[in-house]
Amino acid sequence: MICGCSRGGTTLFYNMIRSSLPEEVLAPPREVGALKFRWNPTPLIVSKRPLDIFNINRIRRTVGWRKGLHFIIVVRDPRALVSSHHKAVPSDFFQGYDQCYYVSDQGLSYANPGVIRTFEAIRKVAKDTRHKVTVVRYEDIVSDPDRVQEMLHSLGIAWRGRFSEFYKSDIPSELTRALNGVRKADPSNATSWQIEESRARRVIQQFTGEPRLFDLLKEWKYETGRRWFDDLVAEFGPYIAPRGTIVGFYTTGTYYEKEAQRLQRSAARLGLEPLLTGVPSTGSWVRNASMKARFLLQQREALSGPLLYVDVDAVFHADPWITLMAGEEDLAVYYNREGRLISATIFINDTPGSRELLERWTAACEADPDEWDQILLQRIINDDEASNIPRFRVRRLPASFCWIFDRGEREPYDGKIIIEQLQASRESLREDRGRFRRMSRRLKRRLDRIEAIERELSA
């Protein structure tokens, strides 16, 4: 089983292995996880899926009882990982220290585990003695693939080709996408973060936001000190966290006034001062939500610098500006793993693209005020991203910026909740407690969570 770091070179390595295997070995022409083969009778199977590193226990239970298991874990310099691109996400880096993009038929979300959690999982598997484990470094794969091939002698495979000549074989199209073309392994890819400005600045951002990355470099013997970081900063400049204005609105004369007060109190503990605006209610929850686009367009026109919009039925647990890692995007918003945009937290950069996007969103909401605002925004973004020449740069926020308090088990994250959403819309269910019991339980969870948060704010 080949697993490990996303963007760590597992596809390249799998192609090397696959092109050199005897014909009787099963190696699918696409990425397939080990769980797919639990009933397959083929004596020797090679699977490849980076995220299998998080499924080790399940693989042992469902596959290990009838097959011998050998884990080949591919690791890569964290500096290269956080500055890596993927064709599926042309407007953003593919992963960060916190999370990684998840590409599915439903769209893109920033919902898979990032570098920190991946190395935590790798560390556990590498120390486990119940099965055979081989750790391979990407840097060795690209610099001397034939020596890596010799390292795998314990597999007992009579190789029919050399890893270094994999590119001469017939490689299926599904296995060439992540390679950005079929060619010899290129060692320069391992250090491109040192010379390309955008990648270098990304590395500076990520290591500034999460110092544990320095520990990973030391643990995996990529670096022993921080001189390299000082040199990078000297050449490209330090990362300065964006500081802008946190904005939001609430409907006057409704329970959202109390939500806004709670949000303000949670922000004040962190030295934050959200600019919250009271507006008259339209009498409809959906129509109130549809005012968001016009409100944000007005705020964008009135204020300079980055904006961070937050629904008022939320609380801050950490300063969002420190870990926001803003770049050249026009807008950043959270998508869940099902590919659904959640407009409860939105970062809006001070760019012409952000203004045009807000104008389009406002026009769509005012043309169809009974449609949910976030559905209309997602439709605009999806259409733009599917066009030949996208006009907007839209980044996905991690779940920590839009954490729904009782749905956390559905989203992997790095353990740092920044903004927690408290789902005030459930208050409308009070009248239906007897009729919709399931809904009543959701409301009770909200009330219990608010009680706990109020105790924290009063302490």
Side-chain angles (χ1 to χ4, degrees):
M1 287 166 290
I2 301 173
C3 56
C5 296
S6 295
R7 304 303 297 161
T10 54
T11 300
L12 172 65
F13 188 51
Y14 180 64
N15 278 315
M16 290 180 175
I17 288 181
R18 189 175 182 276
S19 66
S20 304
L21 288 171
E23 293 183 359
E24 63 270 18
V25 179
L26 174 59
R30 64 188 186 282
E31 179 177 303
V32 180
L35 292 173
K36 296 289 186 180
F37 300 106
R38 56 185 176 273
W39 301 115
N40 193 298
T42 305
L44 183 57
I45 301 171
V46 181
S47 68
K48 177 262 178 184
R49 182 173 180 265
L51 290 174
D52 271 356
I53 195 69
F54 296 99
N55 278 338
I56 298 301
N57 290 334
R58 187 179 176 193
I59 290 170
R60 285 186 177 124
R61 291 194 306 268
T62 59
V63 182
W65 67 275
R66 64 192 305 270
K67 292 182 181 294
L69 303 179
H70 193 133
F71 300 98
I72 303 179
I73 302 174
V74 180
V75 299
R76 188 177 184 180
D77 188 329
R79 293 169 293 191
L81 293 175
V82 299
S83 59
S84 177
H85 288 285
H86 190 287
K87 284 186 175 181
V89 191
S91 63
D92 197 8
F93 293 97
F94 193 68
Q95 70 181 317
Y97 67 80
D98 49 359
Q99 295 192 226
C100 176
Y101 271 91
Y102 171 62
V103 183
S104 69
D105 294 338
Q106 286 72 42
L108 300 173
S109 62
Y110 197 57
N112 275 344
V115 172
I116 294 294
R117 284 197 62 206
T118 298
F119 273 95
E120 288 176 352
I122 289 172
R123 187 183 302 115
K124 292 178 182 178
V125 178
K127 292 180 178 179
D128 197 325
T129 59
R130 286 177 289 179
H131 299 283
K132 296 179 180 180
V133 177
T134 300
V135 178
V136 179
R137 293 162 67 103
Y138 169 84
E139 293 76 15
D140 296 330
I141 293 173
V142 295
S143 63
D144 196 347
D146 291 336
R147 188 171 68 85
V148 173
Q149 187 174 12
E150 294 175 3
M151 288 173 50
L152 302 178
H153 68 275
S154 61
L155 295 177
I157 297 175
W159 303 106
R160 63 180 175 88
R162 298 171 60 189
F163 282 12
S164 60
E165 298 180 344
F166 82 99
Y167 63 94
K168 297 179 182 180
S169 62
D170 184 18
I171 299 178
S173 60
E174 290 195 29
L175 292 175
T176 62
R177 294 174 186 169
L179 295 177
N180 294 324
V182 180
R183 57 190 179 277
K184 289 183 180 180
D186 185 1
S188 67
N189 290 332
T191 56
S192 59
W193 58 268
Q194 295 178 344
I195 55 178
E196 294 183 23
E197 182 175 356
S198 63
R199 294 179 190 266
R201 292 188 181 279
R202 169 68 171 183
V203 170
I204 294 171
Q205 287 180 347
Q206 291 286 295
F207 278 75
T208 301
E210 180 48 86
R212 282 185 293 174
L213 291 172
F214 289 104
D215 299 330
L216 287 181
L217 291 181
K218 185 176 181 180
E219 177 184 356
W220 293 92
K221 296 180 173 56
Y222 284 104
E223 295 284 354
T224 57
R226 300 194 181 190
R227 177 63 182 272
W228 68 270
F229 183 76
D230 295 336
D231 291 343
L232 208 64
V233 170
E235 182 174 358
F236 296 101
Y239 173 68
I240 301 174
R243 285 287 168 178
T245 307
I246 299 172
V247 298
F249 74 96
Y250 60 92
T251 47
T252 55
T254 69
Y255 50 80
Y256 280 97
E257 290 186 336
K258 289 186 177 180
E259 303 295 320
Q261 294 169 6
R262 187 186 305 112
L263 178 67
Q264 289 277 23
R265 290 162 57 204
S266 71
R269 291 189 307 169
L270 302 168
L272 303 172
E273 298 181 0
L275 180 61
L276 304 183
T277 304
V279 298
S281 174
T282 65
S284 163
W285 181 86
V286 173
R287 289 193 169 225
N288 286 343
S290 73
M291 293 190 292
K292 184 183 300 181
R294 170 62 68 180
F295 170 78
L296 289 178
L297 178 59
Q298 293 170 343
Q299 296 298 302
R300 180 67 287 164
E301 292 173 343
L303 302 170
S304 61
L307 302 179
L308 182 65
Y309 169 82
V310 181
D311 278 355
V312 295
D313 54 333
V315 289
F316 288 95
H317 293 288
D319 186 339
W321 299 113
I322 295 175
T323 55
L324 188 58
M325 298 298 175
E328 299 178 354
E329 67 274 10
D330 299 310
L331 184 140
V333 65
Y334 170 64
Y335 282 67
N336 64 18
R337 284 185 66 86
E338 289 73 39
R340 184 163 62 93
L341 183 152
I342 309 296
S343 65
T345 304
I346 307 175
F347 171 79
I348 305 164
N349 220 342
D350 194 350
T351 63
S354 69
R355 291 174 177 80
E356 182 180 348
L357 181 52
L358 290 176
E359 289 171 354
R360 290 193 186 186
W361 187 23
T362 299
C365 287
E366 293 180 350
D368 192 0
D370 292 316
E371 180 63 276
W372 202 354
D373 69 286
Q374 62 189 30
I375 292 177
L376 295 174
L377 178 59
Q378 181 167 0
R379 192 175 298 161
I380 294 170
I381 293 173
N382 287 355
D383 289 346
D384 182 70
E385 291 180 339
S387 65
N388 293 329
I389 306 177
R391 295 182 60 84
F392 311 118
R393 293 173 60 92
V394 179
R395 184 165 60 88
R396 272 55 170 173
L397 289 173
S400 55
F401 275 80
C402 195
W403 187 259
I404 299 177
F405 68 97
D406 58 352
R407 299 181 190 174
E409 72 282 359
R410 300 183 185 180
E411 299 285 359
Y413 78 120
D414 188 43
K416 296 180 180 179
I417 302 174
I418 297 171
I419 299 171
E420 179 179 359
Q421 300 291 336
L422 298 175
Q423 303 283 282
S425 58
R426 299 181 189 181
E427 291 288 339
S428 62
L429 304 172
R430 284 181 181 272
E431 300 175 357
D432 298 323
R433 279 192 173 190
R435 188 176 170 195
F436 299 107
R437 294 183 180 179
R438 183 180 178 186
M439 297 294 189
S440 296
R441 287 196 295 270
R442 295 177 64 218
L443 174 59
K444 185 178 186 306
R445 290 198 297 271
R446 165 180 152 80
L447 299 177
D448 291 343
R449 181 58 184 148
I450 288 176
E451 184 178 350
I453 287 175
E454 289 290 348
R455 287 196 299 267
E456 294 175 11
L457 294 175
S458 300

